[in-house]
Amino acid sequence: MKKFGLFTVGAIAALILLANVGPLIGLAISLGILYYSFKQLLSAESVFVKIAWVIVLLIALSFAISSFPSVLGLVAAYILFVVYRKWNKSKATIIEESNDPFTNFEKQWADLNK
């Protein structure tokens, strides 16, 4: 039953992620342009060049803000990652040590022979 729930959550997250691939690409490109324009703004010496980079920065910022709902796709990717980790998580097996004197003797004998 637990695997079915993980499968359902994973399928829903995968569909949301696939629906937001385009906006995610747009967000990544706009954030890259935003970063580059900010770096160029800091290194510019002329006032005209600084004004030009501020205009580019504001345009990239508006694109980044407009594609902000694609953050839902990032959340879906994280949920998909968590589901994948839980799916592949092995169950911990508990090995109880027996108080049987014969098994303890066998373990000690094996240790002595090493």
Side-chain angles (χ1 to χ4, degrees):
M1 187 69 181
K2 185 176 180 181
K3 294 277 188 178
F4 179 73
L6 285 174
F7 178 75
T8 305
V9 170
I12 292 170
L15 290 175
I16 291 172
L17 181 63
L18 285 175
N20 288 315
V21 167
L24 278 172
I25 293 171
L27 179 67
I29 291 171
S30 64
L31 288 177
I33 293 170
L34 189 68
Y35 176 75
Y36 181 74
S37 63
F38 183 72
K39 286 294 191 179
Q40 292 299 320
L41 174 68
L42 292 179
S43 66
E45 295 179 9
S46 169
V47 174
F48 177 73
V49 174
K50 284 188 179 198
I51 291 172
W53 281 116
V54 166
I55 291 172
V56 171
L57 188 129
L58 291 174
I59 291 171
L61 183 64
S62 67
F63 284 145
I65 290 172
S66 70
S67 63
F68 186 73
S70 66
V71 172
L72 185 64
L74 293 174
V75 172
Y78 177 73
I79 290 172
L80 197 59
F81 174 71
V82 170
V83 166
Y84 176 76
R85 279 186 32 207
K86 288 197 182 269
W87 186 280
N88 290 331
K89 186 177 179 183
S90 63
K91 293 183 179 179
T93 56
I94 300 173
I95 301 174
E96 295 181 20
E97 290 198 22
S98 170
N99 287 333
D100 186 20
F102 295 108
T103 55
N104 287 335
F105 174 76
E106 293 295 328
K107 288 179 189 176
Q108 289 175 357
W109 186 257
D111 289 339
L112 286 174
N113 286 333
K114 286 184 183 179

